[in-house]
Each structure stands twice: as structure tokens, then as C-alpha cells.
Amino acid sequence: MIPDPSTPTSRPLKQNENYAIHSAGAVSHSGDESGNENRRKSARGKKRPRMCSENTTQAGGKASPGRPGRAGGGGGRRGRVQAVSLFEVVTMGRDAMQTVIGDWIETYAMDRDSALLDLISFFIQCSGCKGVVTAEMCQSNRVQDCGDILSKMVEKVDEESGLQYKKFMAFPWILTVTWPMDMDCAEYPLIQSGPYGRWFHSEFGDFVSVLVSQCQHRVVFDGYLMNALVSLLTELSDSCVRAFRHTCTLAAVKILSALVAVALSLSTLMENSQKLHGVERRKTSGRQGSPRLDRMKKKIAELQEKRLEIESIMDTIFKGVFLKRYRDVLPEIRSMCTEELCLWMKLYSTAFLTDSYLKYIGWMMHDKIPEVRLKCVLGLQGLYGDPLLLTKLDLFTSRFKDRLISMTLDRDTEVALQAMKLLILISKSCEEVLEEGDYQQLYRFVFSSQRPLAALAGGLLYSRLLNAPAPGSEGQEGAGAGEARGQDVHTERTLVRLRALLTFYMQSELHKHVVYLVDGLWDCAGDLLKDWPTLTHVLLQEAPPQCTGLTEAEQAGVVEVLVASVRQAAEGPSLVGRSGGKKISNAKERKSQSDDCAKLTQQFLTTLPKLLSKFAGRWDAIASLMKIPQFFVPECLTAENTQAASEELIREMGAVADHPSAPPAVLEAVSRAYLRLCGEDTAWHPAARPARDALVQRWKDRLISQLGVGLKEDTFCADNDQTGEMLSTLRKLRAFYNCHDLSQWDLFELLSPLLSVGCLQGGVPPEVILEVLQCLFHAVLWNLHTSGRTLTSRDKAVAQRQQLSAFCETSYRCLSHADAAVKEQAFLGVCDVLAAHSYQLNVWEPASCGPLLYTPGPRLQRALQAFLLEQVFVGPDSDAHSRVCLASEGEGQEDHQKRRTLLAAYCKLLVHGVLEMSSASVVFTHYTKYYNDFGDIIKETLYRTRQTDKIGSARTLLLCLQELYVLLKQEQRCGGGGPPGVQTFTSIKELARRFALTFGDPAKFRESVTMIHRSGIEFVFSGFVQSPDATCPPYLTYLTVLSEFSSKLLKPDKKTLFCFLQRQTADHVVHSREDCWQPLVYYRASLLATAAAAAAGGEGEDVASYVSSDRRPPPPSRSPNVNKQQGQVSPVDSRSNRASVSSSDTTSGSFHLDVCWIDPSTSLPSGLCVLKRTGADLYLCASQSSFRPDSTASQRTGVRRDRRPSPRKLKRTTAATVTEEPHHVMGKETGDELVEVDP
């Protein structure tokens, strides 16, 4: 707010007159402090016309300052009037803006100096400034004479007062803005969180636009207001304060946008005036002169002069604000400048749509912030969407075409999407810009993981390749040769489109799944893809002799497209790996999906048997076609001859399933198709269920006869042909057992002897064992699944547990099989069956007769752990892994996924409590080593087990660390000949750190962390005898690992554990100077958490730096590590307890420092002096750490770098010796004098 001068406003302001502007700084202002202080005139100084021109609104039209509102009823009635500042009117809506700005213009006409200061106060307040603005009149009335003043305009910081100020010229004013230094960190209106910030941004821009719009007739051209505003905004937009820079840049670009509207209005007036001038000139062509014609010429000249003046102001703002701020460090400012520049180009293309301005858009398309790139693309969409502007974009298009195409690969999804829309717009408006190679690159986005982007690419692909009419189709269709001829034309056109689609799909070679292609084309080519009668007709018809029909590859492609379109119609756009689609469908979409399902059921119930008959023997096509029955609706009431059609389909399906050469994929598809048709709620259940039972009974009888021939006297004696037939039967049974409950055929008892013979005596091919294992696995799972209605007595429960035990025993024997596939199937089978049994026990009601508990024995648990170590946790150099040659990266990914599956199966047993908690140690020990491969699985297992048993999970972590540590010690004792796979001490310490990070709230896991420390201390000092001549425990360095958990202890627990540690150690150990006890010092420091412990911790870190290796003997030096640039540490002389630090830096001379150990019984001063060197200068620093005589680390001093000292500069020396004594520091040097230091 600006205090008024003491003189009346009607009198001109004096030079050198000062005004203080006290900004309220807040976004909302109270009503009694809202006014502009320029209005606080005395009654004598006010004039009656002035009272009507104040910034006022009606009382009923004033909105609440705390929330946005709109002024209402301002001109309808007269009441008491309240003063409203320009800042407050921003919160009142556009109608109030127009009223108050109109009053401000009247005030400006009478006293433009005070009105201008009022406007300056508005912009300062909108910046959220809480400081003071001082306005001073310039001595000269000409800008040209102010060069000396402009050279003194500064922006400085006064650290003593905590203020910073900026002094600049807004002619004819010299403004000085002073504000607190913490304003840079404060929120200002434009960046406030929530909807208020966005709302204020919009309302502030509207205010500036309304201001320029209402001033466009007179005030804009007076040479006073705009010059002052441009100077103000230019200077503040160049400030280092973010609030000023952001707010004033927004105001400047909004003013330029409003001036563009003024220039357009002037251009329109000029065109109209020139037209009238031409008409008038033709009317008065024979006369000598016409006053009307002269007036028109004068008006045209005035309009042209005004437009040139507006363009000059726009150019000044562009060069003074935009050119400095479009590269601002703040992304919001860069985005704002880019958005407004695109608007100027679109609205005022004659001035701004040139290559000199378009280059900024091209440059900003490389910005690192997605929002800025998005504004560029959106602005270019508006430019390319106007046909009148395309001729001015030729050079820009040719220069930045490659960048636009590359932006479709942008990491930000929205930028890539809008870039694709822009390129599609360019392809429609400028057909010759994009070449065929560019289109091929854009077509490939139909396989994108983002569905909106894939849909746009699918639309481009459809419009350019698939929507082209067939040659000569127009003439044939126009002839109207009848309905049959029209059907032929439609079929021919569909065939042409299909061939174009298949050509693209086969030539792209980007994706093996056509479902993603169909999903990308679904929105634009749905009529083609859902034309199932035509697609089936194309597949079933025979090509005429004179025409070339579809090749086998093309027929297979059409089948894949057909099946993918059926899946899309039944399930919608829900594909694995593709995101961005609609998650919730509306009623219309659900109705359309239901109609499509009814249509496809009616269509394929009759045509699918024919397709299966035609493609007999081509198993890839059969496997795809057998997926179609899975999408049939339960009841198809509209289909004709449903019973006959379903019987024919079931018959063809049975023939496919009973074929001797049917591959597993086909059998799996047929099994799922039978599952759909055998549902009790379907119309095909009466025919499908008996047909399935007949198939299974036939296969069982066949298998019995094959086992009677191939299995005699517990010996497998089948030849190759008989083994092939048996394997084919087993595959059929396994495929159907996966989807159907075949327990009534007692296959478990039938196949168990074959598996026993194969595991005990051998001779059974691994393929047969694998199929038998899967059949038994499905048999046990179905038994567990249906136990709710089958377990009616204890005898049945006992039989179920015996079956489960027999399967686990058989799988245990298979875990030692030579074939890897058999071992993997046995492992997965055991894990899944045990997990299902655990779930069965949890959901069973205790009152009813439930299943009996089965617990895997120790032998099976050890076998599972051994398999995990052999197949999952294998390094790249291990023998188990190197024997597998990965032919490609795809095989490597497949192997990695298989290992993750095996680990997840074992972790399920830990989570469900099937295995003991200690069995998790085999998994947790590999947490850091295999963090990139299995870190997510192990971490989730750790969290789940901790929810079940906190203490047990903590004991498991402790067991992991102790096992690894003991293995490391064994390897050291064996001289490197220990067990393979031993981790180093550093990796064990890192594993402990990772384990500690999993404990979140210390209060929540207080007992667990305390137990880890107590058990760890007992592990270290187990068997330690407290005697003066006792040696350190062999596992003492384990305390360094244990210290990683100290940060998760509460202060009372630290004290308790410290006392417990003191009881475990002898008194002389505390004061021992031997290096072997330094891990104890380090651990004690982590428990104390005091100043003395911090001092001890400084040495503890150095101790840990060499005990962490744990493979080499301890280094002889006792002094802490010194940076190589500061000096090299020489070994300690054990007899004199002195360490030497020498330096040979030629730039700072050389020095020599002797450090002696201080007697522990001596009381030390509060400040300890140490030596520190920075560059070529030598400093003596007083450490603020306090030392205690009972602390081991306090018994020694050294050259350390302390972050908190107050160094006192020493003169440069060439050779110096500093000796530390208990109460003072003596400096002895050769050369220059040493400055006296107060310790």
C-alpha cells in the first residue's frame, strides 16, 4: 500500500518526493485494511468528481476475501460504498474487475502518478512480497538523461539486517523494493497448493487482459502507463527472487497477449477504413478534393501509427522479458513463455509467425521438462490445424521434422501421445512432408504399451493402408448387379484389406502376438475385425482357378486375427503389458459387448466345426481356433439348431483331442473348451459332459493296456513305439486333469507304481516321469480342493493324508533325478501341494470333520533347500550355471523368470508357515548378493514372516548373519580352502545394514532389535573368561556387524544393553589399547550415543575400516586415516607412542608433526587442539568434543578433521613440530614464528 503525499492529488507531484509502499503480502486482505492508501485524502484535498472515480464496489458486490467470489448487484442499487484495492478485486471475478478497472482509469485520468503507484502496489502484492517499496521521482523528465541512474540500478543482500533489496527505474519513478531474505523459500499466490493457485493464475491473467482491454483507446497510447509498466515488469522479471520473476513474467506475457488483441482490433479497423476509403475514392474520382476522403486518410494514418506503437511495445516486452525468461531455470516460467508464444503466433501471424520466432519453439522441444515439451506440441497443433498458416511453416517443418518424429518415443506418455496427434495432423494437411520411411516408423506404435498411443497409430495405419478401396470396386458396386454381386464385392474388398494388414504384420516382425495389433485397430477398424461371417467365408472358400487364393501363412494370419477379434469383443481392451485404457465401461459399452458375444456364439457354433475340419493337421491354427469356444455365452437362445450344431462341434473337438499327434498346446485348448461347454449353466451341458467322460474312460483303458505291456515285474520294458503311445495318452490325461476333476477314475493309484519304478530302478524316460508327476500333482490338488464335500469321515481324512504323504515321498525321490525338468516339476509340485494343504487347514471349520495335519519331514526340507541352492542361487561363474548355454537374450530372460518362479514357490511355504522360520535363512542370506534378481521376492517374504512372528523372524536374521560369519572364519582358518560361496566381511556387514533398514518404527520392533543385540553379544562372548591374561574372543569382530542394528534401538534399550555388555567384559578390557579390542570400542560407541561415544566412534570407524576385511593382519598404524593431499601416515613407534605425519607438497611447503599419546589418568581440557591444513595455509583447530578418562578412544589423539572448529590461521612454516601435553599446546618450529593459540 502506498501512502499518499501530503499535497492534494490535483497538484503535480514534486521531484524527489518519496512514497513508501507497504505490501500486505498475503493473498487475502481484510476489509478494513483493503484500501489503497492513495485514497486517504483529507476532506479539503478531495474533489467531488474524484469520489466517484475511486476503486469502489457496492457493499453487496464485495466477495469474501478468503475465497473467490464474483461481484453481484453492483449497479442495480445504491447503498453504502466500500473501498476495494486492485489486489482484492482479483478475488471477486471478471465483472468486478471491469468495474474497478474502469474507476481506476478515471482516477488515472485525473492523477496518473498516484494511480500508477496504485498499480505498482498491485503487482508487488501479487508477488507475495512482505517488504517495503520506496518510490522516488526521477530528477530528469527524459529517459535519455537517466543513463547514469540506470547504471547504478542494483540488487543486493544485506546479511547483517537479513534484508535484500532491488533498485530499478519504472520511469518516471525510481523504485526500491526491500524484502526479507527468506522470501525465496515462501509460497506466493501463483504456486500455492490446491485449486487456489490454479485459480489465482487464471484470475490474475484475466485482470491484466481486462486492464489492457479497457485502456486500449486512450491510456495505452499516452506514453506514460505502458512505459512504466514495461520498465517495472522487465526489471522484476529479471530478479533473482523467484516470486518476482514468476509473477512479473506472467504479467508481462499476458500484457503482450492483450496487446496482440489490440493490434488485431486496429488491423481490422484499418482494413475496414481502407475499404471505405476505396469506395469513397471511386465515388469522388472526378472531383478535385473531398473532406470526407481526407478524414479517412487521416484516420488510416492514425490507426497505422497506433498499430506501429503497439508493435513497438510488444517488441520491447518480447526482447526484455521473453528472450531472458524462456530459458529460465523454473520450468513453470519456460512453459508459460512457450504457451503464450504459440498463442501470439496463432492470433497475430503477420508479426509473430516467422522463422525468427518459430525457432524458439523448435529449441524448447528439446527441454528436459515434459511440461515444456507438451506446451510446444500443443501449440504446434493449433498452428498446423489452421490451413491459412501452413505456408509459413514449411521451413520449420523441414528443420524440426525429425525431432517431432522422435518425440513419439518420449518418456512422458502425454507428450508422446500429443506428438503422434500432431504428426497425424501434419500428414493430413501436408501430405508430402512425411516420407514412407517416416510412416513405417509411426505404424509400429500400434504395438505400443500405451493403448491411447497404439489407437492413434492404428488410426493412421487404417487410414493409409486398410481404408483404400479395392481396384475397380466403385464401378462394380455402382453397377448394382444384385445382392450376390454386392456380397462378392464386399468379400473382395475385405480380402484386400486383410492382405494389406497381414503384409504389415509379417513385414514388421516387431511382435509375435497379433492381439496387440487388433487392440490398436479396434477403435477405427472395428467393422472390419468384427465382420466374422466374411472372415470365415474367406477362410472356407476355395480360390477360383484364375485367382490366387490365400497362402498357408496368410491363412494362419487370418486365423490369428479372427481369434484375436473374438477375444477383443468378448473381454474388451484388457491386455497384459498394455496400460492407459478405460478401466470401467459404461452401460452402452457393456450392452455392445453382450451383443457381440451373442453374435460370435451364433456365428461360430455353426462355422467352427467346418474350420476345424478344414485345418485338420495344422496344429497352430487348430490351437488358435479352439480358443473361440471359451468366449461363448452360457445360453445362446437366438441360434438356430443349437443342439445339432453343438453336437457337431463336440464331435470335432473329440476328434482333435483323440488324435495321436495332438501337441500339448492343442490339448490344453481343447480341455478349456470342454470346461466351458460342460458348465452346468450352459445349453450344451447334456451333450458335452458325456462326450468328455467317454474320452477320459477311453484314455484310461488305453493306458491300462499300455502299462500292462510296458510295466512287468516292477520293470519298465516298453519299446520306443509303446513309450510314444503311452506318452501321448499321459499328455491327454494331464491336459484334461488340469481343468477337470478326474478323481472318479482313480488315476493316482494307477500311475503311482510307474513313478516308483522310474525313481528307484530307472529305465523310465524322463518325459514319461514328467507327465506322471504332473498327473499325480493334479490328482492331489483336486483331492484337496474337493475335500469340503468329500471328507465326511475320519477314514477319508486319513486316506487323504496318506495320499499327500505318498506324493511328497515320491517327489523327494524325484528331486535327486538326473533330469533337470523332472527335478523342477517335483520341487514345484511339493511346494504347491503343501501350500494348498496349509490353506485347507486355515479355512476349515473346526466343528466339522476336517483334514489331518501333515508336516514335511526334515529330510524333505533339506532336499528343498539343497535344490534352491543348486538351481536358484547360482552365480554366473558357477558350474551349475555355466553348463547351460544361453543361445540368446530371450533364453536368458526365460531362465531368470524360471528361477524367480522356483524361489517364489519356496517362499510361499515360509509365508504360510509350512516350514519352520529357521528355514528362511537359506533365502535371507542371499538378500544383498541377488538383490537385483530376487530382491522384491525376498523383501516381501521378510515382511510377511515378520507379520506372523516378529521374534522368530528376528532370530532368523540373526541366524543368517552368524552362519555367514562362522563360514568366513572357517575359510580364514583353512587359508582360503573353506566351503565355496563364502561372503566377505564387507558383504556380511552390508547384509546387516539391509536387514536393519527393514525395521521401520523402533518402538514397533523394540523387542526384536533388543533380542538381536543381546543374542549377538552372547554369541561373541560365549566362553570368554574375565581374567587379566585372557585373549580376545575369536568372534569379536562380529560386534562390528552387530553395530548396524544400533540405530534401531531406543535410548533406554541402549543403556540396558550397554550395562549387559559391561558385565560380559572385564575392566581391563575397557582401557586396553590393543588393536584386537577395537571392534568392542566401535560397538560401545554405537550404544552410548553421547559426546564421548561420538569421539570414540571417530576411531571406531577407522578400526572398522581394517577389521572389515578380516583377511589381512591389522595394519601397524594407530593414527587415523589422513587424506593423501594432507599427508601420509607413517607407522607408529610402539615404544614412544608417537605417530608422524609428513607432507611434501611443493605448493605449501613441508611440515612434520609428532603426536604423542596422553596419559589416561590426566584430566583433559575442554578444548583439544589439533592441526589442520587448508590449501597453502596451516590452521590450529580447537575441537569441541569432550573426552572422558574411562573411554578407550579418549586415550589417544590424532590428526583429525573436525567440521565444527574455529580455526585460527598460522603462518606458513617449512618444518614444524607440535607436541600435545595435558594442559597446553607448545609449538616448536624452524623458520617463521608460530601464532599463540588459546586452547
Side-chain angles (χ1 to χ4, degrees):
M1 292 176 287
I2 308 173
D4 288 323
S6 59
T7 57
T9 57
S10 59
R11 190 175 60 188
L13 294 174
K14 296 180 181 180
Q15 295 179 353
N16 264 341
E17 192 170 7
N18 294 334
Y19 295 86
I21 305 175
H22 301 279
S23 174
V27 177
S28 302
H29 302 273
S30 60
D32 54 352
E33 296 181 357
S34 61
N36 186 343
E37 293 187 12
N38 289 330
R39 305 189 192 94
R40 299 178 184 175
K41 307 292 183 179
S42 61
R44 182 180 58 186
K46 292 184 179 180
K47 295 183 179 181
R48 188 173 186 84
R50 174 73 182 276
M51 295 175 62
C52 299
S53 62
E54 295 289 343
N55 297 344
T56 59
T57 58
Q58 298 295 333
K62 186 179 185 302
S64 175
R67 62 189 180 192
R70 303 187 70 86
R77 55 197 171 108
R78 299 293 179 184
R80 72 180 189 275
V81 179
Q82 294 181 354
V84 178
S85 67
L86 292 177
F87 179 77
E88 286 178 333
V89 80
V90 177
T91 65
M92 299 174 64
R94 195 177 185 90
D95 295 338
M97 291 179 192
Q98 295 176 353
T99 303
V100 175
I101 290 175
D103 295 341
W104 180 87
I105 293 175
E106 295 180 5
T107 305
Y108 178 84
M110 301 183 62
D111 188 358
R112 65 182 185 179
D113 291 330
S114 62
L116 179 60
L117 292 178
D118 193 3
L119 189 60
I120 292 174
S121 174
F122 165 74
F123 287 110
I124 298 298
Q125 292 180 36
C126 288
S127 299
C129 179
K130 300 179 181 179
V132 177
V133 179
T134 303
E136 178 184 357
M137 285 292 293
C138 183
Q139 295 286 350
S140 176
N141 292 328
R142 295 189 306 166
V143 181
Q144 292 80 2
D145 299 335
C146 301
D148 184 44
I149 299 177
L150 292 174
S151 64
K152 298 179 181 179
M153 302 292 100
V154 292
E155 182 170 354
K156 292 185 178 180
V157 177
D158 188 358
E159 297 183 356
E160 295 182 358
S161 61
L163 298 175
Q164 49 186 339
Y165 67 91
K166 181 178 180 66
K167 186 177 182 181
F168 59 94
M169 173 174 287
F171 189 83
W173 300 97
I174 299 177
L175 302 178
T176 304
V177 185
T178 307
W179 65 91
M181 293 179 61
D182 58 352
M183 180 181 169
D184 294 342
C185 303
E187 281 194 354
Y188 51 94
L190 284 180
I191 64 169
Q192 286 192 2
S193 59
Y196 180 81
R198 298 187 297 270
W199 172 84
F200 185 86
H201 186 284
S202 175
E203 294 296 324
F204 180 70
D206 291 344
F207 179 88
V208 176
S209 301
V210 172
L211 175 65
V212 177
S213 177
Q214 294 190 219
C215 295
Q216 63 177 325
H217 301 292
R218 291 180 303 169
V219 182
V220 172
F221 304 100
D222 65 353
Y224 183 80
L225 174 64
M226 296 308 299
N227 290 341
L229 278 184
V230 171
S231 300
L232 171 72
L233 299 178
T234 301
E235 290 294 333
L236 290 181
S237 64
D238 198 25
S239 172
C240 63
V241 180
R242 174 182 177 180
F244 287 147
R245 197 169 68 252
H246 191 184
T247 306
C248 294
T249 301
L250 175 61
V253 296
K254 289 297 182 181
I255 286 177
L256 202 156
S257 299
L259 291 177
V260 166
V262 175
L264 289 174
S265 177
L266 293 175
S267 299
T268 303
L269 291 176
M270 282 184 58
E271 292 178 0
N272 295 336
S273 299
Q274 288 174 354
K275 291 179 181 179
L276 293 176
H277 179 268
V279 173
E280 186 67 21
R281 187 176 57 182
R282 286 192 296 270
K283 289 181 180 180
T284 61
S285 59
R287 304 176 186 177
Q288 293 294 332
S290 173
R292 179 179 176 84
L293 195 60
D294 295 337
R295 288 194 300 270
M296 289 184 178
K297 290 181 179 180
K298 184 178 180 181
K299 183 180 179 181
I300 293 174
E302 291 177 355
L303 292 174
Q304 188 173 5
E305 182 180 357
K306 288 183 177 181
R307 189 177 68 173
L308 291 177
E309 185 176 354
I310 292 295
E311 291 180 353
S312 176
I313 298 174
M314 291 191 298
D315 185 66
T316 302
I317 297 176
F318 185 85
K319 293 179 179 179
V321 178
F322 180 88
L323 289 184
K324 297 179 181 179
R325 300 276 67 82
Y326 84 97
R327 295 178 298 177
D328 194 275
V329 69
L330 195 64
E332 290 83 354
I333 296 180
R334 301 200 303 270
S335 174
M336 177 176 57
C337 292
T338 304
E339 183 180 10
E340 295 298 324
L341 177 59
C342 294
L343 180 64
W344 305 335
M345 292 178 179
K346 182 175 178 59
L347 296 180
Y348 200 34
S349 59
T350 56
F352 286 99
L353 193 57
T354 59
D355 296 330
S356 58
Y357 291 98
L358 282 169
K359 64 182 180 183
Y360 300 110
I361 302 297
W363 293 344
M364 296 307 292
M365 287 193 299
H366 295 81
D367 195 276
K368 62 180 180 179
I369 301 299
E371 182 183 359
V372 181
R373 302 194 298 269
L374 181 62
K375 294 297 183 182
C376 294
V377 176
L378 293 177
L380 290 175
Q381 288 180 8
L383 297 179
Y384 280 98
D386 191 349
L388 301 177
L389 306 179
L390 295 177
T391 56
K392 299 182 179 182
L393 296 170
D394 293 338
L395 183 59
F396 175 84
T397 305
S398 61
R399 171 64 178 82
F400 293 100
K401 182 188 69 172
D402 295 338
R403 174 55 186 163
L404 290 175
I405 296 176
S406 65
M407 290 181 73
T408 55
L409 297 170
D410 197 279
R411 295 180 62 182
D412 187 81
T413 304
E414 187 63 23
V415 175
L417 183 65
Q418 298 300 330
M420 178 63 72
K421 289 183 179 180
L422 176 60
L423 290 171
I424 293 176
L425 186 61
I426 292 175
S427 67
K428 294 179 180 179
S429 57
C430 310
E431 297 182 356
E432 298 179 356
V433 172
L434 298 179
E435 301 176 354
E436 187 62 29
D438 300 332
Y439 283 114
Q440 292 295 332
Q441 185 174 351
L442 296 180
Y443 293 158
R444 297 178 180 181
F445 283 95
V446 75
F447 298 105
S448 173
S449 60
Q450 296 295 325
R451 192 179 189 279
L453 187 60
L456 286 176
L460 181 64
L461 175 65
Y462 178 77
S463 62
R464 293 191 59 86
L465 294 183
L466 307 182
N467 202 25
S473 60
E474 291 81 357
Q476 296 172 357
E477 198 170 359
E483 183 178 354
R485 184 58 179 171
Q487 183 66 28
D488 294 341
V489 171
H490 177 71
T491 304
E492 183 180 355
R493 180 180 300 178
T494 303
L495 182 60
V496 172
R497 293 179 179 180
L498 282 175
R499 280 179 170 169
L501 179 62
L502 294 175
T503 301
F504 164 75
Y505 175 67
M506 295 176 180
Q507 291 180 354
S508 61
E509 297 181 354
L510 289 177
H511 214 288
K512 297 181 180 180
H513 300 89
V514 76
V515 290
Y516 294 93
L517 175 62
V518 171
D519 182 52
L521 293 169
W522 191 256
D523 296 339
C524 56
D527 296 338
L528 171 65
L529 298 174
K530 289 193 293 186
D531 191 4
W532 297 308
T534 306
L535 295 178
T536 53
H537 177 69
V538 169
L539 290 173
L540 292 174
Q541 73 174 354
E542 298 293 339
Q546 65 275 11
C547 298
T548 303
L550 295 175
T551 62
E552 290 189 1
E554 290 176 341
Q555 288 179 354
V558 173
V559 169
E560 292 184 11
V561 171
L562 177 67
V563 176
S565 65
V566 169
R567 190 217 64 83
Q568 186 81 10
E571 297 182 352
S574 56
L575 294 176
V576 177
R578 173 166 286 182
S579 59
K582 293 178 60 177
K583 296 182 179 180
I584 301 177
S585 56
N586 51 33
K588 182 179 179 180
E589 293 173 346
R590 291 194 296 269
K591 180 64 168 58
S592 177
Q593 183 176 351
S594 177
D595 296 341
D596 291 339
C597 290
K599 292 179 181 178
L600 69 90
T601 304
Q602 181 179 2
Q603 171 66 27
F604 290 102
L605 198 60
T606 58
T607 58
L608 185 58
K610 300 177 183 178
L611 292 173
L612 293 176
S613 177
K614 179 176 181 179
F615 289 96
R618 297 171 57 179
W619 299 117
D620 292 340
I622 293 294
S624 300
L625 291 173
M626 289 310 304
K627 297 177 182 179
I628 295 179
Q630 302 176 24
F631 307 108
F632 286 176
V633 293
E635 294 181 359
C636 184
L637 302 178
T638 59
E640 299 179 0
N641 300 326
T642 303
Q643 190 69 24
S646 61
E647 291 178 357
E648 184 180 0
L649 175 60
I650 293 171
R651 186 166 50 253
E652 289 292 337
M653 290 170 52
V656 171
D658 201 27
H659 196 282
S661 302
V666 174
L667 295 174
E668 187 71 22
V670 174
S671 176
R672 295 185 180 277
Y674 268 107
L675 179 64
R676 184 61 174 172
L677 298 180
C678 291
E680 296 181 357
D681 58 342
T682 61
W684 314 286
H685 175 266
R689 190 67 175 267
R692 185 207 63 181
D693 294 345
L695 275 177
V696 176
Q697 184 63 42
R698 188 187 314 158
W699 294 335
K700 180 185 177 182
D701 297 339
R702 188 182 304 168
L703 180 61
I704 292 175
S705 62
Q706 292 170 353
L707 290 176
V709 175
L711 190 62
K712 294 180 180 180
E713 297 180 357
D714 296 337
T715 304
F716 188 80
C717 56
D719 55 12
N720 293 336
D721 295 338
Q722 295 172 351
T723 302
E725 295 176 358
M726 183 184 302
L727 184 62
S728 176
T729 307
L730 288 173
R731 285 174 179 171
K732 299 178 191 302
L733 289 172
R734 188 260 304 167
F736 272 70
Y737 223 152
N738 187 25
C739 301
H740 306 266
D741 183 12
L742 308 182
S743 301
Q744 57 179 331
W745 283 276
D746 298 329
L747 296 179
F748 188 90
E749 290 75 10
L750 179 63
L751 296 175
S752 296
L754 178 61
L755 193 59
S756 300
V757 171
C759 295
L760 295 177
Q761 299 182 4
V764 181
E767 296 83 2
V768 176
I769 297 179
L770 187 62
E771 296 297 335
V772 173
L773 261 178
Q774 296 184 46
C775 289
L776 298 183
F777 165 71
H778 292 308
V780 176
L781 278 186
W782 277 110
N783 193 5
L784 294 174
H785 177 70
T786 59
S787 59
R789 63 175 183 270
T790 58
L791 289 184
T792 57
S793 63
R794 179 174 177 82
D795 295 338
K796 293 184 178 180
V798 172
Q800 184 190 77
R801 187 172 65 173
Q802 291 177 352
Q803 186 187 59
L804 181 60
S805 177
F807 175 77
C808 292
E809 182 65 24
T810 304
S811 299
Y812 166 75
R813 293 195 294 267
C814 291
L815 285 174
S816 58
H817 198 275
D819 188 74
V822 173
K823 292 191 293 185
E824 291 175 5
Q825 179 58 41
F827 180 84
L828 291 175
V830 168
C831 293
D832 292 343
V833 165
L834 292 177
H837 177 61
S838 175
Y839 175 78
Q840 179 197 27
L841 294 175
N842 293 331
V843 301
W844 199 268
E845 297 181 0
S848 60
C849 181
L852 300 178
L853 176 64
Y854 172 78
T855 303
R859 186 180 59 172
L860 178 59
Q861 294 186 27
R862 289 193 299 269
L864 294 177
Q865 295 178 7
F867 176 84
L868 207 65
L869 294 174
E870 178 186 356
Q871 299 294 330
V872 177
F873 298 115
V874 288
D877 299 331
S878 62
D879 297 336
H881 189 271
S882 60
R883 68 171 181 262
V884 181
C885 297
L886 302 179
S888 62
E889 183 181 357
E891 294 183 4
Q893 294 178 356
E894 183 179 356
D895 178 73
H896 177 258
Q897 185 61 36
K898 181 176 64 176
R899 292 164 62 196
R900 287 177 59 88
T901 303
L902 295 173
L903 178 61
Y906 184 82
C907 291
K908 285 190 297 184
L909 301 182
L910 300 174
V911 171
H912 291 288
V914 178
L915 301 179
E916 298 179 357
M917 192 70 71
S918 59
S919 302
S921 61
V922 69
V923 178
F924 294 159
T925 52
H926 299 87
Y927 182 45
T928 55
K929 186 176 181 181
Y930 294 92
Y931 184 80
N932 294 332
D933 296 331
F934 316 118
D936 54 341
I937 301 177
I938 301 177
K939 185 185 296 184
E940 185 66 20
T941 305
L942 182 59
Y943 288 150
R944 295 288 186 90
T945 54
R946 185 173 295 166
Q947 292 175 2
T948 305
D949 185 5
K950 293 182 181 180
I951 301 298
S953 177
R955 291 186 184 277
T956 304
L957 299 184
L958 186 64
L959 178 63
C960 294
L961 297 175
Q962 292 177 358
E963 288 179 351
L964 293 176
Y965 183 79
V966 171
L967 288 176
L968 178 62
K969 285 295 183 179
Q970 292 178 359
E971 185 195 23
Q972 293 175 356
R973 286 195 297 266
C974 297
V982 177
Q983 300 187 24
T984 62
F985 189 89
T986 304
S987 61
I988 298 175
K989 196 167 181 290
E990 175 65 17
L991 179 62
R993 188 186 69 85
R994 293 286 184 92
F995 285 163
L997 291 176
T998 59
F999 293 98
D1001 187 8
K1004 184 178 180 181
F1005 301 100
R1006 180 177 182 178
E1007 297 180 0
S1008 301
V1009 179
T1010 304
M1011 186 275 302
I1012 290 177
H1013 281 272
R1014 185 177 291 271
S1015 301
I1017 295 173
E1018 293 175 352
F1019 170 74
V1020 172
F1021 293 99
S1022 177
F1024 176 69
V1025 180
Q1026 298 185 13
S1027 60
D1029 56 348
T1031 60
C1032 64
Y1035 296 157
L1036 187 65
T1037 53
Y1038 181 76
L1039 293 177
T1040 307
V1041 177
L1042 196 61
S1043 63
E1044 295 294 335
F1045 296 91
S1046 299
S1047 61
K1048 298 298 180 179
L1049 286 171
L1050 299 179
K1051 289 185 178 180
D1053 297 334
K1054 288 185 178 181
K1055 295 180 181 179
T1056 304
L1057 289 172
F1058 182 77
C1059 296
F1060 179 74
L1061 180 64
Q1062 292 291 83
R1063 293 195 300 268
Q1064 299 291 330
T1065 58
D1067 295 336
H1068 73 281
V1069 173
V1070 177
H1071 304 288
S1072 178
R1073 302 174 183 174
E1074 298 180 7
D1075 293 335
C1076 60
W1077 291 100
Q1078 293 310 310
L1080 176 61
V1081 176
Y1082 184 73
Y1083 182 62
R1084 291 178 73 251
S1086 66
L1087 293 179
L1088 287 176
T1090 60
E1099 287 191 20
E1101 293 176 356
D1102 298 320
V1103 173
S1105 65
Y1106 69 82
V1107 300
S1108 61
S1109 64
D1110 220 14
R1111 293 173 180 266
R1112 305 173 182 174
S1117 175
R1118 293 190 180 190
S1119 61
N1121 296 332
V1122 179
N1123 193 294
K1124 292 182 180 180
Q1125 296 179 358
Q1126 293 182 341
Q1128 297 177 351
V1129 181
S1130 61
V1132 177
D1133 187 355
S1134 59
R1135 294 172 295 179
S1136 61
N1137 285 341
R1138 291 179 177 270
S1140 300
V1141 181
S1142 61
S1143 173
S1144 59
D1145 189 353
T1146 58
T1147 61
S1148 60
S1150 61
F1151 66 90
H1152 184 79
L1153 178 66
D1154 286 342
V1155 181
C1156 66
W1157 312 124
I1158 299 177
D1159 188 359
S1161 63
T1162 306
S1163 60
L1164 298 179
S1166 60
L1168 178 66
C1169 295
V1170 295
L1171 193 64
K1172 180 180 180 181
R1173 191 189 60 159
T1174 302
D1177 298 324
L1178 208 59
Y1179 293 90
L1180 206 58
C1181 306
S1183 174
Q1184 298 179 5
S1185 302
S1186 61
F1187 291 78
R1188 296 181 180 178
D1190 60 344
S1191 175
T1192 304
S1194 65
Q1195 303 169 19
R1196 56 178 63 193
T1197 59
V1199 179
R1200 292 192 304 151
R1201 289 174 292 174
D1202 198 325
R1203 297 183 179 178
R1204 301 173 295 176
S1206 296
R1208 298 187 181 183
K1209 190 172 182 181
L1210 297 177
K1211 293 183 179 180
R1212 179 176 174 181
T1213 62
T1214 55
T1217 302
V1218 179
T1219 305
E1220 294 181 341
E1221 296 184 3
H1223 295 285
H1224 62 279
V1225 176
M1226 295 294 296
K1228 296 182 295 181
E1229 35 95 26
T1230 58
D1232 299 334
E1233 181 181 0
L1234 185 64
V1235 178
E1236 183 181 356
V1237 178
D1238 184 10

